[in-house]
């Protein structure tokens, strides 16, 4: 396991991320709000979690939707997966989008997203005159079939 430091004195009301099962890759994060937030149909809202992280260099935290919210309410994380870089020290806020037909209300301590701690591999980018060819070539969206 990789230790992720969370300064608990930043917000006493924030819920620590929780893995709900032994095999879970994602830990649930909760809303940390003083009053309910209504997300209207086809609208988005930035929801605070009250969490601040010290992520070790060489790692990131990915913010992902919760499948239950997506299935039951058409609520998703808009920029998914969102990335929290190791040098970011601000509060984790989750950009939720309501693709449903009904308004959705976020209450304090509602589970709104999940986070996954992941290693980061950085690329070394270089300019070359030619790249190798492949069977797929330049085929993009939908080029490999249905």
């Amino acid at each position: 396991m990789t230790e992720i430091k969370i300064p608990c004195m930043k917000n006493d009301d924030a819920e620590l991320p929780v893995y709900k099962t032994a095999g879970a890759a994602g830990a649930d994060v909760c809303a940390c709000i003083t009053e309910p937030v209504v997300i209207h149909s086809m609208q988005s809202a930035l929801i605070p979690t009250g969490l601040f992280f010290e992520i070790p260099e060489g790692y990131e935290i990915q913010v992902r939707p919760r499948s239950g919210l997506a299935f039951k309410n058409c609520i998703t994380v808009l920029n998914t997966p969102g990335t929290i870089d190791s040098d970011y020290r601000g509060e984790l806020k989750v950009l939720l989008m309501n693709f449903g037909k009904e308004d959705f209300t976020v209450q304090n301590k509602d589970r709104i997203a999940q986070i996954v701690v992941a290693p980061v591999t950085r690329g070394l980018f270089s300019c070359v005159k030619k790249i190798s060819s492949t069977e797929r070539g330049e085929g993009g969206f939908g080029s490999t079939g249905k």
Side-chain angles (χ1 to χ4, degrees), residues 63-66 69-70 74-82 93-99 112-114:
V63 183
R64 300 179 180 184
R66 291 192 60 246
L69 277 181
C74 296
I75 302 296
T76 192
V77 176
L78 194 54
N79 61 320
T80 189
K93 295 180 181 178
V94 178
L95 183 57
L96 291 181
M97 178 71 191
N98 181 358
F99 284 106
I112 58 170
Q114 59 181 322

PDB file of all heavy atoms in Angstrom, residues 63-66 69-70 74-82 93-99 112-114:
ATOM      1  N   VAL A  63      -9.831  10.419 -10.056  1.00  0.00           N
ATOM      2  CA  VAL A  63     -11.198  10.610  -9.560  1.00  0.00           C
ATOM      3  C   VAL A  63     -12.143  10.032 -10.600  1.00  0.00           C
ATOM      4  O   VAL A  63     -12.111  10.427 -11.771  1.00  0.00           O
ATOM      5  CB  VAL A  63     -11.506  12.099  -9.320  1.00  0.00           C
ATOM      6  CG1 VAL A  63     -12.895  12.269  -8.738  1.00  0.00           C
ATOM      7  CG2 VAL A  63     -10.453  12.727  -8.411  1.00  0.00           C
ATOM      8  N   ARG A  64     -12.973   9.088 -10.156  1.00  0.00           N
ATOM      9  CA  ARG A  64     -13.845   8.364 -11.086  1.00  0.00           C
ATOM     10  C   ARG A  64     -15.285   8.368 -10.581  1.00  0.00           C
ATOM     11  O   ARG A  64     -15.541   8.527  -9.396  1.00  0.00           O
ATOM     12  CB  ARG A  64     -13.375   6.917 -11.207  1.00  0.00           C
ATOM     13  CG  ARG A  64     -11.959   6.780 -11.723  1.00  0.00           C
ATOM     14  CD  ARG A  64     -11.564   5.350 -11.784  1.00  0.00           C
ATOM     15  NE  ARG A  64     -10.205   5.179 -12.270  1.00  0.00           N
ATOM     16  CZ  ARG A  64      -9.647   4.022 -12.490  1.00  0.00           C
ATOM     17  NH1 ARG A  64     -10.324   2.906 -12.277  1.00  0.00           N
ATOM     18  NH2 ARG A  64      -8.410   3.937 -12.918  1.00  0.00           N
ATOM     19  N   PRO A  65     -16.238   8.128 -11.486  1.00  0.00           N
ATOM     20  CA  PRO A  65     -17.648   8.046 -11.076  1.00  0.00           C
ATOM     21  C   PRO A  65     -17.911   6.819 -10.215  1.00  0.00           C
ATOM     22  O   PRO A  65     -17.169   5.843 -10.260  1.00  0.00           O
ATOM     23  CB  PRO A  65     -18.414   7.922 -12.398  1.00  0.00           C
ATOM     24  CG  PRO A  65     -17.443   8.185 -13.482  1.00  0.00           C
ATOM     25  CD  PRO A  65     -16.071   7.953 -12.933  1.00  0.00           C
ATOM     26  N   ARG A  66     -18.980   6.877  -9.472  1.00  0.00           N
ATOM     27  CA  ARG A  66     -19.494   5.705  -8.762  1.00  0.00           C
ATOM     28  C   ARG A  66     -20.543   5.065  -9.668  1.00  0.00           C
ATOM     29  O   ARG A  66     -21.460   5.738 -10.143  1.00  0.00           O
ATOM     30  CB  ARG A  66     -20.117   6.102  -7.425  1.00  0.00           C
ATOM     31  CG  ARG A  66     -19.079   6.581  -6.422  1.00  0.00           C
ATOM     32  CD  ARG A  66     -19.644   6.701  -5.017  1.00  0.00           C
ATOM     33  NE  ARG A  66     -20.137   5.395  -4.579  1.00  0.00           N
ATOM     34  CZ  ARG A  66     -21.426   5.120  -4.349  1.00  0.00           C
ATOM     35  NH1 ARG A  66     -22.353   6.037  -4.491  1.00  0.00           N
ATOM     36  NH2 ARG A  66     -21.783   3.912  -3.949  1.00  0.00           N
ATOM     37  N   LEU A  69     -24.327   5.594  -8.690  1.00  0.00           N
ATOM     38  CA  LEU A  69     -24.897   6.915  -9.009  1.00  0.00           C
ATOM     39  C   LEU A  69     -25.177   7.034 -10.500  1.00  0.00           C
ATOM     40  O   LEU A  69     -26.194   7.606 -10.904  1.00  0.00           O
ATOM     41  CB  LEU A  69     -23.939   8.035  -8.587  1.00  0.00           C
ATOM     42  CG  LEU A  69     -23.970   8.488  -7.145  1.00  0.00           C
ATOM     43  CD1 LEU A  69     -22.963   9.616  -6.913  1.00  0.00           C
ATOM     44  CD2 LEU A  69     -25.357   8.939  -6.738  1.00  0.00           C
ATOM     45  N   ALA A  70     -24.269   6.506 -11.307  1.00  0.00           N
ATOM     46  CA  ALA A  70     -24.460   6.576 -12.758  1.00  0.00           C
ATOM     47  C   ALA A  70     -25.667   5.751 -13.176  1.00  0.00           C
ATOM     48  O   ALA A  70     -26.515   6.213 -13.948  1.00  0.00           O
ATOM     49  CB  ALA A  70     -23.203   6.097 -13.474  1.00  0.00           C
ATOM     50  N   CYS A  74     -28.059   8.667 -13.227  1.00  0.00           N
ATOM     51  CA  CYS A  74     -27.397   9.310 -14.372  1.00  0.00           C
ATOM     52  C   CYS A  74     -26.452  10.433 -13.929  1.00  0.00           C
ATOM     53  O   CYS A  74     -26.280  11.431 -14.625  1.00  0.00           O
ATOM     54  CB  CYS A  74     -28.413   9.834 -15.380  1.00  0.00           C
ATOM     55  SG  CYS A  74     -29.385   8.538 -16.152  1.00  0.00           S
ATOM     56  N   ILE A  75     -25.816  10.232 -12.769  1.00  0.00           N
ATOM     57  CA  ILE A  75     -24.850  11.198 -12.243  1.00  0.00           C
ATOM     58  C   ILE A  75     -23.458  10.644 -12.474  1.00  0.00           C
ATOM     59  O   ILE A  75     -23.163   9.503 -12.103  1.00  0.00           O
ATOM     60  CB  ILE A  75     -25.059  11.438 -10.727  1.00  0.00           C
ATOM     61  CG1 ILE A  75     -26.472  11.945 -10.447  1.00  0.00           C
ATOM     62  CG2 ILE A  75     -24.002  12.384 -10.175  1.00  0.00           C
ATOM     63  CD1 ILE A  75     -26.800  13.286 -11.055  1.00  0.00           C
ATOM     64  N   THR A  76     -22.578  11.444 -13.077  1.00  0.00           N
ATOM     65  CA  THR A  76     -21.221  10.998 -13.359  1.00  0.00           C
ATOM     66  C   THR A  76     -20.228  12.099 -13.055  1.00  0.00           C
ATOM     67  O   THR A  76     -20.606  13.262 -12.884  1.00  0.00           O
ATOM     68  CB  THR A  76     -21.090  10.513 -14.817  1.00  0.00           C
ATOM     69  OG1 THR A  76     -19.841   9.822 -14.974  1.00  0.00           O
ATOM     70  CG2 THR A  76     -21.191  11.651 -15.803  1.00  0.00           C
ATOM     71  N   VAL A  77     -18.972  11.732 -13.006  1.00  0.00           N
ATOM     72  CA  VAL A  77     -17.892  12.713 -12.888  1.00  0.00           C
ATOM     73  C   VAL A  77     -17.606  13.192 -14.308  1.00  0.00           C
ATOM     74  O   VAL A  77     -17.313  12.379 -15.191  1.00  0.00           O
ATOM     75  CB  VAL A  77     -16.638  12.086 -12.233  1.00  0.00           C
ATOM     76  CG1 VAL A  77     -15.490  13.086 -12.213  1.00  0.00           C
ATOM     77  CG2 VAL A  77     -16.971  11.614 -10.825  1.00  0.00           C
ATOM     78  N   LEU A  78     -17.708  14.494 -14.505  1.00  0.00           N
ATOM     79  CA  LEU A  78     -17.650  15.030 -15.864  1.00  0.00           C
ATOM     80  C   LEU A  78     -16.286  14.859 -16.514  1.00  0.00           C
ATOM     81  O   LEU A  78     -16.194  14.466 -17.659  1.00  0.00           O
ATOM     82  CB  LEU A  78     -18.063  16.506 -15.862  1.00  0.00           C
ATOM     83  CG  LEU A  78     -18.374  17.100 -17.217  1.00  0.00           C
ATOM     84  CD1 LEU A  78     -19.412  16.293 -17.966  1.00  0.00           C
ATOM     85  CD2 LEU A  78     -18.846  18.538 -17.065  1.00  0.00           C
ATOM     86  N   ASN A  79     -15.216  15.147 -15.841  1.00  0.00           N
ATOM     87  CA  ASN A  79     -13.881  14.995 -16.422  1.00  0.00           C
ATOM     88  C   ASN A  79     -13.251  13.723 -15.872  1.00  0.00           C
ATOM     89  O   ASN A  79     -12.387  13.746 -15.020  1.00  0.00           O
ATOM     90  CB  ASN A  79     -12.999  16.207 -16.102  1.00  0.00           C
ATOM     91  CG  ASN A  79     -12.803  16.378 -14.613  1.00  0.00           C
ATOM     92  OD1 ASN A  79     -13.727  16.188 -13.825  1.00  0.00           O
ATOM     93  ND2 ASN A  79     -11.603  16.719 -14.202  1.00  0.00           N
ATOM     94  N   THR A  80     -13.724  12.601 -16.398  1.00  0.00           N
ATOM     95  CA  THR A  80     -13.298  11.347 -15.817  1.00  0.00           C
ATOM     96  C   THR A  80     -12.312  10.606 -16.698  1.00  0.00           C
ATOM     97  O   THR A  80     -12.509  10.580 -17.913  1.00  0.00           O
ATOM     98  CB  THR A  80     -14.524  10.452 -15.520  1.00  0.00           C
ATOM     99  OG1 THR A  80     -14.116   9.330 -14.765  1.00  0.00           O
ATOM    100  CG2 THR A  80     -15.248  10.005 -16.744  1.00  0.00           C
ATOM    101  N   PRO A  81     -11.269   9.995 -16.198  1.00  0.00           N
ATOM    102  CA  PRO A  81     -10.894  10.185 -14.806  1.00  0.00           C
ATOM    103  C   PRO A  81     -10.192  11.520 -14.621  1.00  0.00           C
ATOM    104  O   PRO A  81      -9.349  11.907 -15.425  1.00  0.00           O
ATOM    105  CB  PRO A  81      -9.935   9.031 -14.521  1.00  0.00           C
ATOM    106  CG  PRO A  81      -9.322   8.713 -15.848  1.00  0.00           C
ATOM    107  CD  PRO A  81     -10.367   9.043 -16.873  1.00  0.00           C
ATOM    108  N   GLY A  82     -10.542  12.197 -13.566  1.00  0.00           N
ATOM    109  CA  GLY A  82      -9.816  13.408 -13.191  1.00  0.00           C
ATOM    110  C   GLY A  82      -8.528  13.000 -12.513  1.00  0.00           C
ATOM    111  O   GLY A  82      -8.455  11.951 -11.878  1.00  0.00           O
ATOM    112  N   LYS A  93     -12.221  18.679  -5.152  1.00  0.00           N
ATOM    113  CA  LYS A  93     -13.614  18.992  -5.473  1.00  0.00           C
ATOM    114  C   LYS A  93     -13.975  18.140  -6.677  1.00  0.00           C
ATOM    115  O   LYS A  93     -13.169  17.939  -7.583  1.00  0.00           O
ATOM    116  CB  LYS A  93     -13.786  20.472  -5.767  1.00  0.00           C
ATOM    117  CG  LYS A  93     -13.503  21.339  -4.556  1.00  0.00           C
ATOM    118  CD  LYS A  93     -13.683  22.801  -4.844  1.00  0.00           C
ATOM    119  CE  LYS A  93     -13.369  23.620  -3.599  1.00  0.00           C
ATOM    120  NZ  LYS A  93     -13.496  25.052  -3.863  1.00  0.00           N
ATOM    121  N   VAL A  94     -15.188  17.627  -6.678  1.00  0.00           N
ATOM    122  CA  VAL A  94     -15.611  16.691  -7.720  1.00  0.00           C
ATOM    123  C   VAL A  94     -16.642  17.369  -8.613  1.00  0.00           C
ATOM    124  O   VAL A  94     -17.654  17.884  -8.125  1.00  0.00           O
ATOM    125  CB  VAL A  94     -16.203  15.406  -7.088  1.00  0.00           C
ATOM    126  CG1 VAL A  94     -16.689  14.458  -8.171  1.00  0.00           C
ATOM    127  CG2 VAL A  94     -15.167  14.723  -6.199  1.00  0.00           C
ATOM    128  N   LEU A  95     -16.373  17.370  -9.915  1.00  0.00           N
ATOM    129  CA  LEU A  95     -17.285  17.961 -10.890  1.00  0.00           C
ATOM    130  C   LEU A  95     -18.309  16.908 -11.304  1.00  0.00           C
ATOM    131  O   LEU A  95     -18.013  16.001 -12.084  1.00  0.00           O
ATOM    132  CB  LEU A  95     -16.504  18.463 -12.108  1.00  0.00           C
ATOM    133  CG  LEU A  95     -17.301  19.166 -13.195  1.00  0.00           C
ATOM    134  CD1 LEU A  95     -18.064  20.363 -12.627  1.00  0.00           C
ATOM    135  CD2 LEU A  95     -16.373  19.607 -14.314  1.00  0.00           C
ATOM    136  N   LEU A  96     -19.503  17.020 -10.729  1.00  0.00           N
ATOM    137  CA  LEU A  96     -20.579  16.073 -11.030  1.00  0.00           C
ATOM    138  C   LEU A  96     -21.472  16.626 -12.130  1.00  0.00           C
ATOM    139  O   LEU A  96     -21.773  17.821 -12.160  1.00  0.00           O
ATOM    140  CB  LEU A  96     -21.433  15.801  -9.785  1.00  0.00           C
ATOM    141  CG  LEU A  96     -20.776  15.019  -8.658  1.00  0.00           C
ATOM    142  CD1 LEU A  96     -21.777  14.820  -7.512  1.00  0.00           C
ATOM    143  CD2 LEU A  96     -20.251  13.679  -9.135  1.00  0.00           C
ATOM    144  N   MET A  97     -21.917  15.735 -13.006  1.00  0.00           N
ATOM    145  CA  MET A  97     -22.818  16.091 -14.099  1.00  0.00           C
ATOM    146  C   MET A  97     -24.083  15.261 -13.980  1.00  0.00           C
ATOM    147  O   MET A  97     -24.013  14.047 -13.755  1.00  0.00           O
ATOM    148  CB  MET A  97     -22.142  15.816 -15.451  1.00  0.00           C
ATOM    149  CG  MET A  97     -22.997  16.093 -16.648  1.00  0.00           C
ATOM    150  SD  MET A  97     -23.234  17.868 -16.869  1.00  0.00           S
ATOM    151  CE  MET A  97     -24.512  17.862 -18.114  1.00  0.00           C
ATOM    152  N   ASN A  98     -25.219  15.909 -14.138  1.00  0.00           N
ATOM    153  CA  ASN A  98     -26.513  15.232 -14.092  1.00  0.00           C
ATOM    154  C   ASN A  98     -27.018  15.043 -15.520  1.00  0.00           C
ATOM    155  O   ASN A  98     -27.508  15.980 -16.136  1.00  0.00           O
ATOM    156  CB  ASN A  98     -27.512  16.044 -13.274  1.00  0.00           C
ATOM    157  CG  ASN A  98     -28.864  15.384 -13.163  1.00  0.00           C
ATOM    158  OD1 ASN A  98     -29.102  14.320 -13.732  1.00  0.00           O
ATOM    159  ND2 ASN A  98     -29.764  16.010 -12.433  1.00  0.00           N
ATOM    160  N   PHE A  99     -26.901  13.834 -16.027  1.00  0.00           N
ATOM    161  CA  PHE A  99     -27.420  13.512 -17.353  1.00  0.00           C
ATOM    162  C   PHE A  99     -28.853  12.982 -17.279  1.00  0.00           C
ATOM    163  O   PHE A  99     -29.432  12.616 -18.295  1.00  0.00           O
ATOM    164  CB  PHE A  99     -26.524  12.485 -18.058  1.00  0.00           C
ATOM    165  CG  PHE A  99     -25.249  13.075 -18.597  1.00  0.00           C
ATOM    166  CD1 PHE A  99     -24.038  12.830 -17.962  1.00  0.00           C
ATOM    167  CD2 PHE A  99     -25.258  13.883 -19.710  1.00  0.00           C
ATOM    168  CE1 PHE A  99     -22.859  13.376 -18.446  1.00  0.00           C
ATOM    169  CE2 PHE A  99     -24.089  14.439 -20.210  1.00  0.00           C
ATOM    170  CZ  PHE A  99     -22.877  14.184 -19.572  1.00  0.00           C
ATOM    171  N   ILE A 112     -19.972  10.503  -3.445  1.00  0.00           N
ATOM    172  CA  ILE A 112     -20.162  11.158  -4.739  1.00  0.00           C
ATOM    173  C   ILE A 112     -19.200  10.681  -5.824  1.00  0.00           C
ATOM    174  O   ILE A 112     -19.436  10.932  -7.004  1.00  0.00           O
ATOM    175  CB  ILE A 112     -20.064  12.690  -4.611  1.00  0.00           C
ATOM    176  CG1 ILE A 112     -18.724  13.109  -4.022  1.00  0.00           C
ATOM    177  CG2 ILE A 112     -21.240  13.230  -3.790  1.00  0.00           C
ATOM    178  CD1 ILE A 112     -18.458  14.606  -4.090  1.00  0.00           C
ATOM    179  N   ALA A 113     -18.113  10.043  -5.442  1.00  0.00           N
ATOM    180  CA  ALA A 113     -17.124   9.590  -6.422  1.00  0.00           C
ATOM    181  C   ALA A 113     -16.247   8.552  -5.748  1.00  0.00           C
ATOM    182  O   ALA A 113     -16.412   8.255  -4.562  1.00  0.00           O
ATOM    183  CB  ALA A 113     -16.269  10.765  -6.909  1.00  0.00           C
ATOM    184  N   GLN A 114     -15.326   7.999  -6.528  1.00  0.00           N
ATOM    185  CA  GLN A 114     -14.319   7.115  -5.959  1.00  0.00           C
ATOM    186  C   GLN A 114     -12.951   7.559  -6.458  1.00  0.00           C
ATOM    187  O   GLN A 114     -12.836   8.187  -7.518  1.00  0.00           O
ATOM    188  CB  GLN A 114     -14.590   5.657  -6.309  1.00  0.00           C
ATOM    189  CG  GLN A 114     -14.635   5.351  -7.774  1.00  0.00           C
ATOM    190  CD  GLN A 114     -14.935   3.890  -8.033  1.00  0.00           C
ATOM    191  OE1 GLN A 114     -14.472   3.010  -7.326  1.00  0.00           O
ATOM    192  NE2 GLN A 114     -15.708   3.629  -9.078  1.00  0.00           N
TER     193      GLN A 114
END
